[in-house]
Amino acid sequence: MERSSGTVRKGAWSREEDTLLQRCILKFGEGNWHLVPERAGKCRKSCRLRWLNYLSPNIKRGIFSPDEIDLLIRLHNLLGNRWSLIAGRLPGRTANDVKNYWNTHQKKKKKQQQQQQEEEEEEEEPAPPVDHHNQISDCETKISFKPIKPKPRALSSVNRSLLRTSSLNINADEDDDAAGEQNTAPVKEIRETPLALLTQAAVFGEDGSYGLDDLLLSGKHDDGGSGEGDDDHFDPSHHDFLFDEHPWMKSLHLE
DNA sequence: AAGTGCTTCAACCGCCATACT
DNA sequence: CAGTATGGCGGTTGAAGCACT
C-alpha cells in the first residue's frame, strides 16, 4: 500500500523539513499529499499529519479555555472518541490536540477517582453497620464513577457496516426522499451528519446496550463511549444545550 | 546539583473507506 | 468487478520537559 521510499525519514520534524513541507503545500495545494513525500523527505501520512496538526495556519495553540473544555466534555458525552468530529466543532483545534487533552484529562480524573474509591473502601472496611442512608449515598457515588458499559468508543468495523445499512433504513424513516438518492449518498457524509450520530445511537441500541434514549437522558452516568468515567461534574442541563440550542440539532427539528 | 518519576504532546502505526484504474 | 492508491481516523508510543525529592 504505502509507497516506501528509501529517503523517507522518521522522527521529529526539523525546521528545514517544516519549511520544505510548507513550500510543497504552497506549490501543490493542501490535500495533494501524494506529491509531497519525496520532496519533503517524509512519508505521506507524516506530511499530512504535520500540516494538519502543526503547520496549518488555522491552528489554535495553547491551553484549552474553560469554554472549550466545557464544550469538549459535552461533545465527548455525545460523540464518544470521535476526535475529528469533536475537533470540527472546536475552532482551531485538531483531532490530535483534542485527543491528547482528553487522554491526559482522563488519566488525572481516573487517578483521582481511584484514590477516592480506595479511601472509601478503607473507611468501610471495619464491618459496616447496615445504614440505609449510607447505602444510598454510597450507591450514588459509585454510580457516578462507574459508567454504564459496554459502549462503543467509535464505530467498530461491525458497527460501521451496520450503520451503512441501518442508516439508510433510518434515513428512509426520517426523510421521504427516494431510496435511490439515499443509496448514492457518500458514506462519509452519512457518518458526519448529526443524523448519522443519532443513527449510530439507534443502531447501538438494537442490541439493547446503547439506545438513543441512553444518549439523551443518561446524563451523568453516561461517559459517552470511552468507557472511562470522566465526568463527575456533569450537568444534565448540558444536554439541553446540545440538543435544543445547537444549530445542527435545530436543523433536525428534534423535540 | 543530580536523580527519579510524571506529564505532555508530536509522531507513528494499523486499519478502514473511498477513489481510481 | 477486482485490485491498488490515497486520504483519513483513532489508538498508542516515546522523547522532551517539568516537578519533586
Side-chain angles (χ1 to χ4, degrees), chain A residues 72-91:
Chain A
L72 168 55
I73 290 170
R74 295 180 207 181
L75 286 169
H76 189 269
N77 261 311
L78 182 66
L79 304 175
N81 291 7
R82 305 195 61 194
W83 308 117
S84 61
L85 287 181
I86 293 172
R89 310 209 178 274
L90 290 168

Side-chain angles (χ1 to χ4, degrees), chain A residues 38-219:
Chain A
E38 288 80 10
R39 295 164 178 84
K42 292 270 192 175
C43 78
R44 176 175 56 90
K45 284 184 175 182
S46 292
C47 292
R48 178 182 159 271
L49 217 62
R50 181 67 177 171
W51 175 256
L52 292 180
N53 290 334
Y54 201 82
L55 297 175
S56 171
N58 307 321
I59 287 174
K60 183 173 160 188
R61 309 202 68 79
I63 58 170
F64 280 63
S65 70
D67 281 349
E68 286 176 313
I69 294 167
D70 188 48
L71 186 55
L72 168 55
I73 290 170
R74 295 180 207 181
L75 286 169
H76 189 269
N77 261 311
L78 182 66
L79 304 175
N81 291 7
R82 305 195 61 194
W83 308 117
S84 61
L85 287 181
I86 293 172
R89 310 209 178 274
L90 290 168
R93 299 296 183 183
T94 68
N96 214 29
D97 275 345
V98 171
K99 183 169 57 181
N100 281 332
Y101 177 82
W102 188 261
N103 285 339
T104 55
H105 181 76
Q106 280 296 92
K107 264 187 190 171
K108 276 186 187 172
K109 285 217 164 183
K110 251 174 141 183
K111 230 181 177 178
Q112 285 172 359
Q113 287 165 11
Q114 244 180 354
Q115 281 177 347
Q116 213 165 329
Q117 265 187 336
E118 279 168 14
E119 282 170 14
E120 280 169 14
E121 280 166 16
E122 276 175 24
E123 282 174 15
E124 282 170 18
E125 208 132 328
V130 181
D131 180 340
H132 293 296
H133 178 73
N134 279 350
Q135 269 188 337
I136 290 165
S137 57
D138 179 54
C139 184
E140 279 171 351
T141 52
K142 275 186 178 159
I143 286 170
S144 66
F145 292 133
K146 288 196 171 178
I148 301 160
K149 290 182 182 181
K151 295 195 189 81
R153 288 178 304 186
L155 285 180
S156 68
S157 54
V158 175
N159 282 335
R160 278 187 188 152
S161 56
L162 257 176
L163 170 62
R164 223 172 297 128
T165 51
S166 305
S167 66
L168 297 177
N169 295 335
I170 288 163
N171 280 346
D173 294 333
E174 189 78 17
D175 198 332
D176 50 357
D177 282 353
E181 192 184 328
Q182 290 149 9
N183 286 333
T184 57
V187 171
K188 186 180 176 185
E189 212 177 289
I190 293 170
R191 284 170 56 196
E192 297 194 352
T193 57
L195 178 59
L197 301 171
L198 299 177
T199 302
Q200 287 168 33
V203 169
F204 298 148
E206 284 175 1
D207 63 5
S209 67
Y210 197 47
L212 178 57
D213 286 346
D214 291 333
L215 248 184
L216 294 170
L217 303 173
S218 59

